[in-house]
Amino acid sequence: MITQVALAIRHLRKHKFYTFINIFGLATGIAACLLLFRLVYFEMRFDMFHKNADRIARIITEERDPSGGLNLTSGSALPAQDMIQNTVSHFEQFARVRSNGMQVTAGQGTPLERKLNAEETAVYAESSFFRIFDWKWLAGNPDEVLKTPGTVVLARNIADKLYGSWANAVGKTLLLDNKTPLIVQGVVENAPPNSDFQIEVFVSYETFKADKSLFGYNPNWGSSSSNDHVYVLLKNKLDFGAAEALLARVGQEEYRNTNSKKIHKLQPLSDLHFNSDLDTISDHTINKSRLFILSLIGLLVLAMACFNFINLATAMVVNRSKEVGVRKSLGGQRGHLIRQFMSETVVIVTFAAITGALFAYLLSPLLKKISAVPDDLPFLSNPAVWVFLLVVIVLVSVLSGLYPAFVMARFDPVAALKNNLNTRSIGGISLRKLLVLAQFTIAQALIISTLVALSQMNFLRNLELGYQPELVYNVWVSPDSAYIGKYETFKQRLKQLPGVESVSFSSDVPGSFNTWSGNFAFGLGSDDAPFGTSFKFIDEDYFETYGLKLVAGRELTQSDTVREAVVNETLLKRLGINNPQEAIGKEMRIGRDNWIPVVGVAADFKTSSAHEETQPMSMFSRKSTYFVTGIRMDPPSMTKTVENIKTVFEETFPDQVFDGQYYDEYIAEFYEDENRFSSFCQGFSLLAILISCLGLLGLASLMATQKTKEIGVRKVLGASVAGITGLLVKDFLKLVLVAIVIASPLAYLFMEDWLSDFVYRTPIHWWVFLLAGLLSAGVALLTVGFQSVRAAIADPVKSLRSE
Amino acid sequence: MLELKDIERCYTNGSSKTYVLRYVTANIQEGEFVSIMGPSGSGKSTLLHILGMLDAPTAGAYNFLGEPVHTFNERKRAELYQQYIGFVFQAYHLIDDLTVYENLEAPLMYKKVPAQERKSRIADMLDRFNIVAKKDLFPEQLSGGQQQLVGIARALIGRPKLILADEPTGNLQSQQAHEIMDIFQKLNREDGVTIIQVTHSEENARYGNRILNLKDGQLQA
């Protein structure tokens, strides 16, 4: 065994070029596969570490809307939660969790004062939450905490930030939203990265219930928020169906009274991470089909690398036929030979796996560009990675080594000794062509996908939004009675800053993730329109700041309350009003509010991402719902201006935490997923080209050496260099052409599906296919051409003599 | 030792059959030194390959040490020639990747000879052919004559009863050719090894004690 490996290594060192191509190609494939494996493994194992994971579920709400569609909500109405707790007996534990942005202040009024915004990481939670999920306790007793109002448990991260070290936290008092004091009862270790519960602040649910008006406790059956989660621990995992049957009966009468068709269901913990119809606390879900596609592409790339190996190995067989013949005449049997060639394969694959792991390690930062995984994803410390590498070594060795080994071992020793074997007589030539074809088909499909994704990203960048997000900076403010009085001062001070052009308060930016909508009636005395309208509350500077346009009438005048309305063109079109002028002076009403006049019609702007249709939109003024400040700046020295804005904010609202962002960065978040997909395509099409070219390079050079004699004879007979090059290149080009024909429709269907997610999208241009074809044909030509020309210009006398 | 009866080897090319060997009947006794001679294309090498069981006759019977080889499967034939036959080739056919030592070791590995014995047998051979100093060299570092010495050493190391040599001196200069033929003669006379060689040269044929003449695939009387 040891001598076999030593021999294998010697053989590989002798054929450095092929060994390099093989190892490099395989290593690249393995690296890519390993990166994707880490990604998929990470995503697949979310929250599986909880001891009782298979008994944990969440109560969700399924609502059937009048048109028959199903809407899922991750939360449930608060009175329904109470009823479920009292009527369904299958739960061992029952925990209400309400996620809610908070601001926490430690050491208030002292020099050590520290303030933090916990936008996405704070919850109100019942004590039982810690008996359902496993948290590692650094301080405090999980059985004692969060039982009374005014108590809180912190995660280590935030405790460190607030108190210097988590060890100092227990027993201290912190201030919630500058109002409610909370006593720190415990500190838990941060949630591991593969958890959908990245919670840093757990305020006792009792706190929330203790001041219902302050915290907006809504006891109505008609209202349910996606933030009001209930997690349960089933007594027995087999009770799932029985519990759901009981749940289905909860609140049916009450829901009928609110004119809605709602039913409660259980969502198992194992579904949480993969169901994008339902929110999670950390707001990161991923479809299993997406993971499937990623795994598939990883496997395809690995397969391409294996194809290279098989191709090169079977082509090399010719050069080794003599050795096979000799060994057979010395008494070597098929088994011996297969073992010998397999050990060569295993050596190559093992080297490749080590190199591949190194590549993967070096390329790890790129994972972030194609996925939402955290930076500190475990790599070598993850035993699964080692298992994976081992499986890859075995699998790749068997897949790519067995065939060439069998081909060689099967040789007729007499023919092998006479060197009578050529590439044709081994057979396998059609197999090799098929493999090259498969490689180029995959590469081609990836190139087309990349081009389409890039052209869509380009389309989105140039999409006419109807507003101008560039140069706008947003600062979030709180329309709380304590701060609302300072809005005007804030605005005036901002306007005086150099580099600030205009300032506007509003409930939301023009194009946003949020929607706020309701029924409306248009035209004095008429009934509600058959469709709803989105609304935004804006001040008189909104149009100027965000660059919105009017098509009729005027903008809103300054007012602290709802007095007049501006609507958009889409709303009028849906109502059947074609001339915007007609709308001016008409009255409209939101819900059961007062009738107000329409004073202006805004040109349509994209109210959301390009994934969604522009919504009917109505805009009013109302100071009490202004959450965001828009500040339009002059291009030079924007960084300086933002610093000044921060200073002004902190001076105006000393007890609030500054939270600001460039508006175009916010818009870029619309397309985070698409950007990742696009990077993914780019990376993997490059990889696919690289791997297929490596294979081509190896094949072409082998072919050139094997055809040395033929080339020599042809040259002696008067063939030109170009003629001979053409002869060698022709075969490969044919394969590339067939690959284009196969790949184009596949890639077209796949990318049409991808684009169908967008309302605003680029068509798939015909030239994409042409370009992709030219690209891969060009690359193939370069790879093969170099070897071919070299073979063609070689001195025929030399090549003939060597025979 | 071997008995050939009506051996026939033909290739079918479409509907026509080409006979490379036909009606070949011969007996070779243990201890003989036989030379197969004949013009190019007369079937000498094919006959040698059949004798060495690298190739199988299309018809006829071949008994080797009383065993009907033509009825054996590949595995059983391989076992036979592993045990009793050594090959020497015109182009030496050493394995390029292996050192002299390892080339000698290869057949012993296939015969599953234990490591200790392998060592001593290889040492003997290196000694006998005066190539101890070359044991760590690769074939390409040796002259043609030296390569053929290794080739013979390798053929002998399995202690065969029969050596089949396909123009063993065809690639060598006459001085080296004589040395090689002397070795064959010595093997035949002193060690009683049966030798069958294919050769073009009358001179080489004289080292042996019997000549089989082949013409157009048939033995000439």
Side-chain angles (χ1 to χ4, degrees):
Chain A
M1 188 63 210
I2 291 167
T3 44
Q4 293 224 320
V5 170
L7 279 183
I9 290 175
R10 191 189 297 161
H11 175 80
L12 299 177
R13 282 175 56 169
K14 238 182 155 171
H15 302 271
K16 287 197 184 72
F17 180 61
Y18 300 105
T19 306
F20 167 76
I21 286 192
N22 267 330
I23 290 188
F24 186 66
L26 270 180
T28 322
I30 290 174
C33 211
L34 182 57
L35 281 181
L36 290 184
F37 168 76
R38 291 174 64 204
L39 169 61
V40 171
Y41 183 83
F42 172 76
E43 299 282 6
M44 287 302 287
R45 302 197 45 82
F46 259 65
D47 285 307
M48 288 299 104
F49 58 88
H50 296 291
K51 196 169 67 243
N52 296 322
D54 58 344
R55 288 196 288 142
I56 301 174
R58 176 166 72 173
I59 292 171
I60 58 168
T61 309
E62 186 184 281
E63 180 173 15
R64 197 167 283 282
D65 63 29
S67 61
L70 272 184
N71 292 317
L72 292 172
T73 310
S74 53
S76 39
L78 297 180
Q81 297 182 352
D82 297 339
M83 189 182 275
I84 292 167
Q85 190 173 22
N86 293 331
T87 55
V88 183
S89 55
H90 301 85
F91 305 139
E92 188 178 310
Q93 296 291 342
F94 184 97
R96 293 172 181 81
V97 177
R98 176 185 173 87
S99 61
N100 204 3
M102 295 174 194
Q103 181 183 312
V104 287
T105 314
Q108 224 233 347
T110 71
L112 285 176
E113 179 177 302
R114 293 205 189 133
K115 236 179 237 308
L116 285 170
N117 258 353
E119 284 293 339
E120 274 135 31
T121 60
V123 297
Y124 298 103
E126 287 187 304
S127 180
S128 47
F129 181 79
F130 294 116
R131 282 184 285 286
I132 298 177
F133 296 100
D134 301 336
W135 290 78
K136 200 175 158 214
W137 286 81
L138 300 174
N141 180 349
D143 295 328
E144 303 291 320
V145 299
L146 302 190
K147 296 209 159 146
T148 52
T151 55
V152 65
V153 168
L154 299 175
R156 179 163 87 156
N157 189 25
I158 208 162
D160 280 344
K161 280 189 208 153
L162 287 173
Y163 298 104
S165 157
W166 60 266
N168 305 330
V170 174
K172 296 269 167 53
T173 301
L174 58 75
L175 211 53
L176 171 63
D177 289 337
N178 295 313
K179 285 191 200 76
T180 317
L182 304 171
I183 292 176
V184 180
Q185 288 186 316
V187 178
V188 291
E189 184 58 87
N190 299 326
N194 59 346
S195 170
D196 280 319
F197 299 90
Q198 300 296 330
I199 303 170
E200 293 182 325
V201 181
F202 307 81
V203 179
S204 71
Y205 203 81
E206 297 302 320
T207 314
F208 170 63
K209 283 207 282 198
D211 196 340
K212 292 180 173 161
S213 63
L214 176 66
F215 295 114
Y217 187 99
N218 190 335
N220 296 326
W221 282 89
S223 135
S224 68
S225 153
S226 59
N227 293 332
D228 285 312
H229 298 185
V230 171
Y231 295 92
V232 294
L233 181 65
L234 286 149
K235 286 177 183 158
N236 183 334
K237 64 182 167 195
L238 302 175
D239 285 346
F240 202 91
E244 260 200 333
L246 283 181
L247 271 179
R249 279 186 243 148
V250 167
Q252 289 312 298
E253 200 186 320
E254 288 81 355
Y255 286 133
R256 246 190 316 277
N257 292 338
T258 64
N259 253 338
S260 55
K261 284 188 181 163
K262 287 183 185 167
I263 182 172
H264 294 292
K265 293 196 158 174
L266 283 179
Q267 180 193 22
L269 182 65
S270 56
D271 183 55
L272 229 60
H273 190 63
F274 306 111
N275 194 333
S276 47
D277 292 334
L278 291 163
D279 298 339
T280 63
I281 288 182
S282 301
D283 234 356
H284 162 56
T285 57
I286 186 161
N287 271 335
K288 276 196 172 152
S289 66
R290 169 71 65 86
L291 290 176
F292 175 74
I293 288 178
L294 291 181
S295 318
L296 187 72
I297 290 183
L299 286 179
L300 282 180
V301 168
L302 190 64
M304 287 175 73
C306 289
F307 292 172
N308 267 355
F309 187 94
I310 298 174
N311 264 341
L312 283 174
T314 44
M316 285 281 279
V317 159
V318 180
N319 301 4
R320 301 189 70 176
S321 60
K322 192 188 92 181
E323 180 186 338
V324 174
V326 175
R327 284 188 181 275
K328 281 203 164 182
S329 72
L330 296 179
Q333 290 174 19
R334 273 169 71 169
H336 292 124
L337 291 166
I338 289 174
R339 233 175 298 145
Q340 183 199 337
F341 294 126
M342 279 310 283
S343 45
E344 276 170 27
T345 309
V346 172
V347 169
I348 287 198
V349 174
T350 308
F351 271 121
I354 294 167
T355 320
L358 187 72
F359 283 178
Y361 179 76
L362 295 174
L363 292 175
S364 287
L366 291 182
L367 260 189
K368 235 184 352 196
K369 292 206 185 253
I370 60 167
S371 70
V373 300
D375 288 340
D376 49 355
L377 191 61
F379 184 33
L380 294 180
S381 61
N382 183 354
V385 166
W386 294 98
V387 173
F388 174 81
L389 279 176
L390 208 67
V391 170
V392 163
I393 290 177
V394 172
L395 204 72
V396 171
S397 299
V398 169
L399 283 181
S400 43
L402 223 46
Y403 175 74
F406 269 100
V407 166
M408 282 195 256
R410 218 175 42 204
F411 280 169
D412 170 16
V414 176
L417 279 175
K418 286 188 184 156
N419 249 328
N420 261 355
L421 295 166
N422 55 36
T423 340
R424 209 171 301 274
S425 65
I426 297 166
I429 190 136
S430 51
L431 174 89
R432 286 216 301 284
K433 280 190 172 165
L434 202 69
L435 295 182
V436 171
L437 182 66
Q439 284 186 328
F440 266 83
T441 306
I442 298 169
Q444 190 70 29
L446 280 166
I447 296 174
I448 295 172
S449 305
T450 308
L451 290 175
V452 173
L454 283 176
S455 83
Q456 173 67 8
M457 295 321 284
N458 189 45
F459 174 86
L460 290 177
R461 251 192 308 282
N462 296 320
L463 183 67
E464 186 46 61
L465 295 172
Y467 56 90
Q468 288 151 5
E470 311 82 13
L471 310 182
V472 175
Y473 192 80
N474 290 122
V475 176
W476 276 266
V477 288
S478 160
D480 194 295
S481 55
Y483 313 116
I484 204 161
K486 297 183 180 166
Y487 272 27
E488 205 45 44
T489 334
F490 184 49
K491 189 171 185 173
Q492 290 314 320
R493 286 199 56 191
L494 287 178
K495 275 180 156 176
Q496 282 158 18
L497 287 176
V500 168
E501 289 212 327
S502 69
V503 179
S504 161
F505 290 116
S506 59
S507 60
D508 201 359
V509 287
S512 90
F513 285 112
N514 310 316
T515 51
W516 189 352
S517 58
N519 297 342
F520 76 105
F522 196 90
L524 195 57
S526 40
D527 280 338
D528 277 2
F531 58 94
T533 177
S534 297
F535 31 83
K536 291 190 194 297
F537 297 95
I538 63 172
D539 71 2
E540 66 283 3
D541 296 317
Y542 194 73
F543 275 60
E544 185 194 345
T545 305
Y546 291 100
L548 296 171
K549 298 262 181 325
L550 280 174
V551 291
R554 59 169 174 82
E555 292 172 28
L556 298 177
T557 47
Q558 202 279 324
S559 162
D560 287 350
T561 54
V562 178
R563 230 175 45 191
E564 45 193 31
V566 170
V567 297
N568 71 351
E569 292 174 289
T570 299
L571 182 130
L572 294 184
K573 266 179 230 148
R574 296 278 291 270
L575 285 171
I577 301 173
N578 288 322
N579 179 2
Q581 286 298 340
E582 279 176 36
I584 307 299
K586 289 265 170 49
E587 313 242 287
M588 74 179 295
R589 184 186 72 177
I590 296 295
R592 294 281 163 265
D593 289 349
N594 298 326
W595 290 94
I596 50 165
V598 172
V599 297
V601 177
D604 269 342
F605 58 91
K606 302 281 182 290
T607 49
S608 180
S609 75
H611 291 293
E612 279 160 48
E613 210 69 79
T614 294
Q615 296 298 309
M617 173 69 63
S618 317
M619 289 169 280
F620 324 96
S621 50
R622 188 169 78 187
K623 201 174 189 174
S624 62
T625 46
Y626 293 164
F627 298 102
V628 55
T629 325
I631 303 155
R632 173 165 291 277
M633 301 180 290
D634 278 338
S637 71
M638 296 216 298
T639 336
K640 182 85 189 83
T641 312
V642 169
E643 270 171 40
N644 290 334
I645 291 171
K646 186 169 186 234
T647 313
V648 169
F649 179 91
E650 279 165 353
E651 284 169 13
T652 318
F653 305 107
D655 51 3
Q656 286 208 63
V657 179
F658 179 78
D659 184 9
Q661 186 183 24
Y662 285 99
Y663 186 24
D664 44 7
E665 283 173 7
Y666 174 90
I667 287 178
E669 287 172 15
F670 286 164
Y671 308 116
E672 227 173 7
D673 254 10
E674 286 76 13
N675 263 321
R676 281 184 191 136
F677 178 77
S678 167
S679 315
F680 176 81
C681 282
Q682 288 172 48
F684 276 79
S685 50
L686 268 181
L687 206 71
I689 294 175
L690 179 75
I691 292 180
S692 15
C693 280
L694 277 177
L696 269 193
L697 187 69
L699 272 187
S701 82
L702 264 178
M703 194 185 64
T705 30
Q706 282 161 12
K707 287 197 172 176
T708 314
K709 188 174 162 197
E710 181 188 336
I711 293 168
V713 173
R714 282 178 189 271
K715 278 187 88 169
V716 170
L717 297 177
S720 66
V721 170
I724 289 171
T725 312
L727 183 84
L728 294 172
V729 164
K730 204 180 61 198
D731 266 3
F732 288 115
L733 275 190
K734 251 191 272 169
L735 288 181
V736 173
L737 284 181
V738 177
I740 294 170
V741 172
I742 300 174
S744 297
L746 291 177
Y748 176 82
L749 289 177
F750 181 71
M751 289 314 283
E752 269 295 320
D753 185 53
W754 184 71
L755 283 171
S756 69
D757 261 1
F758 292 92
V759 172
Y760 304 99
R761 49 158 283 195
T762 166
I764 299 183
H765 300 287
W766 60 270
W767 53 260
V768 164
F769 301 99
L770 186 70
L771 185 62
L774 286 178
L775 216 70
S776 57
V779 173
L781 201 62
L782 273 178
T783 326
V784 180
F786 175 69
Q787 293 291 341
S788 306
V789 170
R790 218 174 57 170
I793 57 178
D795 181 357
V797 177
K798 252 189 211 160
S799 61
L800 286 180
R801 193 170 34 197
S802 73
E803 266 299 300
Chain B
M1 181 181 207
L2 13 124
E3 257 174 276
L4 300 177
K5 207 170 169 209
D6 277 337
I7 290 290
E8 177 186 305
R9 182 75 174 90
C10 69
Y11 297 98
T12 325
N13 201 352
S15 55
S16 70
K17 273 186 170 180
T18 318
Y19 289 96
V20 183
L21 290 176
R22 213 169 180 187
Y23 315 125
V24 175
T25 301
N27 274 309
I28 292 170
Q29 305 301 321
E30 208 163 336
E32 280 195 276
F33 188 161
V34 181
S35 304
I36 305 175
M37 297 193 70
S40 282
S42 59
K44 301 183 300 279
S45 291
T46 309
L47 180 57
L48 197 75
H49 288 141
I50 287 176
L51 290 174
M53 299 167 214
L54 293 178
D55 201 354
T58 36
Y62 173 21
N63 294 323
F64 183 80
L65 293 171
E67 307 245 26
V69 180
H70 55 283
T71 61
F72 288 3
N73 61 17
E74 196 202 321
R75 188 189 179 80
K76 227 170 156 192
R77 267 186 279 154
E79 273 169 19
L80 257 184
Y81 67 66
Q82 254 185 29
Q83 237 180 315
Y84 299 111
I85 301 177
F87 288 93
V88 176
F89 303 96
Q90 175 179 5
Y92 331 126
H93 284 338
L94 301 179
I95 297 172
D96 299 336
D97 280 353
L98 304 184
T99 61
V100 167
Y101 186 96
E102 288 160 346
N103 262 292
L104 294 181
E105 194 176 23
L108 300 180
M109 303 265 267
Y110 289 135
K111 290 176 82 168
K112 301 211 167 71
V113 174
Q116 265 313 317
E117 198 189 334
R118 285 205 305 263
K119 255 191 190 164
S120 67
R121 280 212 220 173
I122 295 168
D124 279 354
M125 276 300 157
L126 292 170
D127 240 15
R128 183 163 168 190
F129 290 97
N130 256 325
I131 44 175
V132 178
K134 313 260 189 267
K135 72 177 167 55
D136 291 324
L137 297 182
F138 286 95
E140 62 193 22
Q141 295 165 301
L142 303 175
S143 74
Q146 288 166 338
Q147 288 194 46
Q148 194 57 300
L149 280 181
V150 179
I152 296 172
R154 187 179 61 182
L156 285 175
I157 202 158
R159 297 186 178 151
K161 284 187 171 347
L162 171 67
I163 284 197
L164 298 171
D166 193 351
E167 302 206 34
T169 61
N171 285 13
L172 299 177
Q173 293 158 357
S174 57
Q175 172 61 30
Q176 290 175 321
H178 286 308
E179 286 170 24
I180 296 292
M181 290 317 294
D182 286 338
I183 290 172
F184 275 124
Q185 199 166 43
K186 216 172 134 202
L187 280 174
N188 179 249
R189 292 194 180 150
E190 294 172 15
D191 302 290
V193 179
T194 313
I195 294 174
I196 303 175
Q197 68 163 338
V198 162
T199 181
H200 271 115
S201 128
E202 297 281 349
E203 200 189 336
N204 284 353
R206 277 198 292 274
Y207 282 89
N209 44 30
R210 184 173 162 200
I211 293 175
L212 293 175
N213 267 307
L214 264 181
K215 198 181 171 197
D216 295 333
Q218 302 194 29
L219 278 179
Q220 308 295 301

